[in-house]
Amino acid sequence: MNPDALRGHMDALLLSVLERGPLHGYAIIEALQERSGGVLNVPTGTVYPALRRLERIGHLDSEWATVGGRKRRTYRLTESGRRQLEGERSAWREFAGVIGSVLRADVRPSSSG
């Protein structure tokens, strides 16, 4: 998948993955791959800065936890993050509907004028 296609949607993807419960960074990347059927392969250099930004603005909280014997930063969705995710989903449905309308092959141009 073209990385440019993800631009503007990374926040929604990360918030959605964390809606199911707290995860550490690498597990978030794995969840994105799994939920996309292996299509999304998002680099750590994209994910970690986005997680830190979402935490700074209050959509995520994080804490250090021991996972598999290793100390890792685990992220979880805040109430603010849940509200943001709902807004992102609504915006996505609207966007997808508009783009779908334009791309549909069966739409005939109107004859005005």
Side-chain angles (χ1 to χ4, degrees):
M1 173 170 269
N2 181 345
D4 288 338
L6 294 178
R7 189 168 288 134
H9 304 291
M10 184 55 60
D11 289 2
L13 294 171
L14 294 173
L15 294 172
S16 179
V17 166
L18 289 166
E19 182 179 35
R20 294 183 179 180
L23 294 171
H24 60 82
Y26 186 71
I28 292 169
I29 293 169
E30 287 180 324
L32 288 169
Q33 283 184 311
E34 180 183 316
R35 288 176 64 176
S36 69
V39 175
L40 292 180
N41 187 12
V42 185
T44 58
T46 299
V47 171
Y48 287 105
L51 289 170
R52 285 192 295 273
R53 184 177 45 72
L54 288 168
E55 185 176 19
R56 265 193 319 274
I57 61 177
H59 296 329
L60 299 178
D61 277 336
S62 71
E63 63 186 16
W64 287 100
T66 302
V67 179
R70 296 181 62 185
K71 204 166 167 105
R72 298 178 183 256
R73 185 171 290 278
T74 302
Y75 297 88
R76 71 172 181 80
L77 207 55
T78 63
E79 191 53 43
S80 170
R82 290 183 194 287
R83 287 190 304 271
Q84 181 65 25
L85 177 56
E86 286 311 309
E88 295 278 354
R89 284 182 171 143
S90 177
W92 173 257
R93 285 189 292 271
E94 183 178 343
F95 175 79
V98 168
I99 298 302
S101 294
V102 172
L103 293 179
R104 273 198 341 249
D106 63 341
V107 175
R108 311 245 187 243
S110 64
S111 54
S112 58

